[in-house]
Amino acid sequence: VNPSINQSINIERMMLSTSNRYRKVSLRSFAANRERESAEGRYWAKFRAVAGSPAQEPLAGMVSSVVFCPRAPFDFAVTASTRVFLYGGNTCELKRTITRFKDVAYSGCYRSDGKLVVAGTEDAHVKVFDANSRMVMRHLQGHKSAVRVTRFSTDHTHVFSASDDKTARLWDIPTGSLVHRLEGHTDYVRSGFQSAHDRNLWITGSYDHTLRCWDMRAPKCVMTLDHKLPIEDVMALSSGSVILSAGGPFVRAWDLISGRMVHETNNHQKTVTCLALDATGSRIVSGSLDQSVKIYDAATYNVTHSMRFDKPVMSVGLSPNGRVMAIGLLDGTLSIRVKGGKDSLLTLPSFGRGSNDASSNATSVLAPLAAAGAANKRPPRGGTRAFFMRGASHRATEDDLQVARVRKQRLQDFDKYMKAFQYTRALDAALRTRHAVIVTSVIEELIQRGGLRTALAGRDEKSLGGLLKFLIRYIDNPHHTQVLIDTTTIVLELYGRDLGSSMAVDELFAKLRWKLNEEIVLQKQLYELQGALDLVLHNSLGNTDGAGDDDGAVLLQQPTVASSSQNNSNSSEGKKNKKQQKKNKRQQQDTVNGKKLNKLAAKATKSTKTTKAPKPSKKKQQKKRKQTPTKKTAATAATTTTTTTKATTTTTTTKSRRSKRKLSTDNSNNNNGSSNKRTRRNNKQ
């Protein structure tokens, strides 16, 4: 058979099958948030939660501590309620559970060789267990209150414990006896550790706001540092000379050589409960009651990354190989995050401690043997499943006749109802997904089909309540506002008359009204802010146009011209700004001209003011006219300028006094009557 004929037949069959198929609801898509993520953020984003692990289920109580074993495979002990859970470092799965406690357990911790586990209890006991058999190896008694801190020493033969009885003690494991009792704190001792560079130095933190350094050779306190707040946790940096103390919302760094505070951070909003150090020693991790975990640079103490959780963070731990992060929350949830996800976990058994090369070598050696066995495999026997399934994995060649296989279309619930034109059920199915994009996409599809009003009508109290809750939650979301506003108007038209019949529905409508009013107030504030910014921009553009040299104005106007050429919208805005500037200039000129005209009018009115006096005789009038002829002409000129828009004043200058007198007398005789009428009119005005 010709291969081209087979291909054409398959294409025709696929066209027929796809043409009769139901077209699914197209979900709305939005532009991705293109925020630039730093290298630090990308690194910590690789730590993903392990799906399907026991860590997803909350433990019996608050996770008080998470401590990793310093030796491969880096198992970690998790203490919660009356149990200590031991997880594998390679698989992050629960290996063993230590339950031999009568009361709440605290501070479960591995020894550096991974063979022993120590924990304190609420009933003032310290217990040492075998990590494999979970048997109690030592039962240390002597404290009078709850033991909150337990640690192994670096020599593997001593155990350090700190208690709420305001003391810290050092125990000998082989004999089970007390070696040293450290007294000096005046409140609960809630943290402590041994210096990695000096095995005789132990540091403790207490609720009496102090850090104390203890020399076990004396034994006595050799240094006291005041944190000024109750201390929850203490830790040393990789250098050994700088220690960190967490208390209140502060994390403070102290120099042991000078005994002074080096740095202080205040990036948490509530009390910092735990501290940890990553595998490289370059990052500090802190957890707080504000439900956040923050990561700092150990050199600059600046925050480089942060994580958010649903509950307050009580404990944090990172594996020495930098692959696993465990966070304990207040509600008993243990969040285990693995670098690269669950697929990166080692599932094959390791041939050596912490060595993955052995397992890879073993698989490489067994691979050729498995291939040879598959080649010499016998054919399946008739009647078996393998016989009937033979050829299922065979791939067709070009010469084979291929029959198109039409797979059944998988539809979601809302698509099934939309296919059957059951619009009400389709909208209810979309609301059950609790996904805003799906609901708005279904609503848009209903609008296109003209079935939105049908889907919203005829609802009972329960179904209408679910719809109103969705509207209240997402109506102020810019992605969905336009669609949901139309939906809200239809809901009000359908159910506005039924208000008062159900208290629950009335409360939801009241919440929706409050949400809309709040959004309207916010929009008004935004418009006011926009207007203020526009005013500032217009003033700044006006100042740049009118001030300085021409070169400076050109330089200031270059960015606006460049931006307008890049975008059409910016160009239109630039034209509008230029028009507005021209209008402002015209208004300024009009105001200046108006002021000048007002001044001229004021002067004219002053000059035209007259007072009533008895009429002088004709001789006196002639004398006055001869003495002051220019004053009257000036007054008449002023009156003419106020009444007409364009006043013309004629000033004649002659060399002889006779010509001046003749002109003045002639003008006064001719215009005496008219000037008197004009002055009267001006005075009335």
Side-chain angles (χ1 to χ4, degrees):
V1 182
N2 192 355
S4 60
I5 297 173
N6 293 334
Q7 291 178 0
S8 62
I9 292 170
N10 293 329
I11 291 170
E12 289 177 0
R13 289 178 178 176
M14 291 294 292
M15 291 288 289
L16 290 172
S17 61
T18 55
S19 61
N20 296 326
R21 284 191 176 187
Y22 163 76
R23 194 179 72 178
K24 297 180 180 179
V25 176
S26 59
L27 300 180
R28 304 178 72 192
S29 59
F30 303 101
N33 189 7
R34 297 183 178 178
E35 292 183 358
R36 292 185 178 180
E37 191 175 8
S38 62
E40 189 82 14
R42 289 192 296 269
Y43 173 80
W44 293 105
K46 294 179 182 178
F47 286 86
R48 301 171 187 171
V50 180
S53 65
Q56 301 298 326
E57 300 178 1
L59 302 177
M62 178 187 69
V63 182
S64 59
S65 70
V66 177
V67 181
F68 279 83
C69 179
R71 188 175 181 180
F74 310 112
D75 296 342
F76 55 99
V78 178
T79 309
S81 186
T82 59
R83 297 178 182 180
V84 176
F85 303 92
L86 305 180
Y87 288 86
N90 287 336
T91 60
C92 291
E93 294 180 355
L94 183 63
K95 295 171 63 176
R96 298 175 187 86
T97 303
I98 300 174
T99 59
R100 298 191 176 184
F101 299 99
K102 295 181 180 180
D103 209 335
V104 180
Y106 298 106
S107 187
C109 178
Y110 270 104
R111 198 166 70 172
S112 59
D113 58 359
K115 294 181 179 180
L116 297 179
V117 177
V118 64
T121 62
E122 184 71 24
D123 54 3
H125 294 169
V126 179
K127 294 184 179 181
V128 181
F129 302 91
D130 186 352
N132 294 321
S133 63
R134 296 173 292 176
M135 292 181 60
V136 179
M137 305 299 294
R138 287 289 181 270
H139 192 176
L140 308 175
Q141 299 180 4
H143 284 289
K144 297 179 181 179
S145 187
V147 179
R148 295 298 188 109
V149 183
T150 55
R151 292 289 184 271
F152 282 103
S153 63
T154 55
D155 58 3
H156 296 180
T157 59
H158 294 87
V159 170
F160 176 82
S161 64
S163 172
D164 287 348
D165 61 1
K166 308 173 187 178
T167 64
R169 305 189 184 206
L170 190 67
W171 308 85
D172 184 34
I173 297 175
T175 61
S177 60
L178 180 64
V179 179
H180 296 299
R181 180 177 177 179
L182 308 177
E183 295 180 346
H185 285 292
T186 59
D187 209 334
Y188 301 155
V189 183
R190 292 295 177 89
S191 56
F193 70 95
Q194 184 183 18
S195 175
H197 299 274
D198 187 0
R199 65 179 185 179
N200 294 316
L201 183 63
W202 287 82
I203 294 97
T204 58
S206 172
Y207 275 12
D208 61 0
H209 306 179
T210 61
L211 283 164
R212 292 182 182 268
C213 301
W214 306 88
D215 188 357
M216 293 301 175
R217 293 170 293 188
K220 63 178 182 180
C221 178
V222 295
M223 184 182 292
T224 303
L225 304 172
D226 187 9
H227 185 83
K228 297 181 181 179
L229 286 169
I231 298 173
E232 297 288 345
D233 199 3
V234 291
M235 182 188 68
L237 296 182
S238 57
S239 62
S241 61
V242 178
I243 61 174
L244 302 176
S245 61
F250 302 99
V251 177
R252 293 187 170 97
W254 306 87
D255 186 7
L256 291 179
I257 298 173
S258 62
R260 296 180 180 178
M261 185 176 68
V262 180
H263 197 272
E264 176 185 280
T265 61
N266 185 16
N267 296 295
H268 287 284
Q269 297 178 356
K270 293 184 180 180
T271 301
V272 182
T273 56
C274 51
L275 295 172
L277 201 65
D278 72 336
T280 61
S282 61
R283 294 294 182 268
I284 303 165
V285 183
S286 65
S288 172
L289 294 177
D290 61 1
Q291 305 177 8
S292 67
V293 171
K294 295 188 182 295
I295 295 139
Y296 308 83
D297 188 354
T300 60
Y301 300 101
N302 293 327
V303 176
T304 59
H305 189 70
S306 61
M307 303 177 185
R308 297 290 301 178
F309 294 90
D310 296 335
K311 299 294 180 181
V313 180
M314 303 304 298
S315 55
V316 174
L318 286 92
S319 62
N321 61 355
R323 293 181 62 240
V324 182
M325 176 190 290
I327 300 101
L329 305 182
L330 182 63
D331 63 345
T333 303
L334 177 65
S335 175
I336 299 177
R337 300 193 173 193
V338 181
K339 188 178 179 181
K342 191 176 181 179
D343 297 336
S344 65
L345 293 174
L346 181 64
T347 56
L348 295 174
S350 59
F351 290 85
R353 287 179 177 264
S355 62
N356 299 338
D357 296 334
S359 60
S360 61
N361 292 334
T363 54
S364 63
V365 170
L366 295 175
L369 298 176
N376 298 327
K377 191 177 181 181
R378 294 181 180 181
R381 189 178 60 183
T384 60
R385 184 179 183 277
F387 178 79
F388 288 103
M389 293 300 296
R390 68 189 189 281
S393 60
H394 176 72
R395 294 185 179 180
T397 60
E398 294 181 356
D399 298 333
D400 294 334
L401 177 61
Q402 300 180 20
V403 179
R405 182 182 177 184
V406 180
R407 294 184 179 180
K408 187 177 180 181
Q409 193 177 16
R410 294 183 179 180
L411 301 176
Q412 296 188 14
D413 293 339
F414 58 86
D415 275 319
K416 293 178 182 178
Y417 292 124
M418 291 290 288
K419 185 178 179 181
F421 300 99
Q422 298 178 4
Y423 296 149
T424 304
R425 293 185 178 181
L427 183 57
D428 292 339
L431 288 171
R432 284 195 295 270
T433 61
R434 297 182 180 180
H435 201 288
V437 175
I438 293 175
V439 178
T440 52
S441 300
V442 171
I443 292 174
E444 283 189 342
E445 183 69 20
L446 290 171
I447 292 172
Q448 292 178 2
R449 294 191 181 192
L452 181 59
R453 187 176 290 273
T454 304
L456 296 175
R459 290 182 171 271
D460 56 358
E461 181 180 350
K462 185 177 180 181
S463 59
L464 182 60
L467 178 62
L468 291 175
K469 288 178 182 178
F470 178 82
L471 294 175
I472 292 167
R473 183 173 182 181
Y474 293 104
I475 197 168
D476 59 345
N477 191 330
H479 293 308
H480 316 299
T481 300
Q482 187 174 1
V483 178
L484 296 184
I485 285 175
D486 297 337
T487 307
T488 305
T489 54
I490 297 174
V491 170
L492 292 173
E493 290 176 3
L494 293 174
Y495 301 100
R497 298 178 181 177
D498 299 333
L499 289 175
S501 59
S502 175
M503 293 293 294
V505 174
D506 293 345
E507 289 179 359
L508 292 174
F509 272 112
K511 288 182 181 179
L512 181 60
R513 181 182 179 183
W514 176 82
K515 192 73 173 288
L516 291 173
N517 290 332
E518 188 179 16
E519 185 66 20
I520 290 169
V521 171
L522 179 62
Q523 292 293 332
K524 287 181 179 179
Q525 293 176 356
L526 291 176
Y527 276 117
E528 291 177 359
L529 180 61
Q530 185 179 2
L533 291 174
D534 291 340
L535 182 61
V536 171
L537 291 174
H538 289 318
N539 290 335
S540 63
L541 291 173
N543 292 332
T544 55
D545 290 338
D549 299 334
D550 294 336
D551 296 336
V554 171
L555 290 173
L556 288 171
Q557 290 176 0
Q558 281 179 359
T560 57
V561 173
S563 63
S564 64
S565 64
Q566 291 177 1
N567 197 350
N568 293 328
S569 61
N570 293 335
S571 63
S572 62
E573 291 178 0
K575 291 179 181 178
K576 291 180 181 179
N577 293 332
K578 289 180 180 179
K579 290 181 180 179
Q580 188 67 26
Q581 290 174 9
K582 289 180 180 179
K583 288 182 180 179
N584 294 333
K585 288 181 180 179
R586 289 175 183 174
Q587 290 177 359
Q588 290 177 0
Q589 291 176 359
D590 292 338
T591 53
V592 171
N593 294 330
K595 289 180 180 179
K596 290 180 179 179
L597 292 172
N598 292 331
K599 289 181 180 179
L600 291 173
K603 290 180 180 179
T605 53
K606 288 181 180 179
S607 62
T608 56
K609 286 183 180 179
T610 57
T611 56
K612 293 181 179 180
K615 292 183 179 180
S617 62
K618 291 183 178 179
K619 292 182 179 180
K620 290 182 179 180
Q621 288 180 0
Q622 290 178 358
K623 287 182 181 180
K624 286 183 179 180
R625 289 173 186 173
K626 291 179 181 180
Q627 290 176 0
T628 59
T630 58
K631 289 183 181 180
K632 289 184 179 180
T633 56
T636 55
T639 54
T640 55
T641 54
T642 55
T643 54
T644 60
T645 56
K646 293 182 181 180
T648 57
T649 57
T650 58
T651 57
T652 58
T653 57
T654 56
K655 294 180 180 180
S656 61
R657 293 180 180 177
R658 294 178 182 177
S659 61
K660 288 182 181 180
R661 290 178 181 175
K662 287 180 180 180
L663 289 171
S664 61
T665 53
D666 293 335
N667 291 327
S668 61
N669 292 324
N670 293 326
N671 298 325
N672 189 12
S674 62
S675 63
N676 290 330
K677 291 180 181 179
R678 288 175 183 174
T679 51
R680 290 174 185 174
R681 290 177 184 174
N682 290 330
N683 290 328
K684 287 181 180 180
Q685 290 179 358

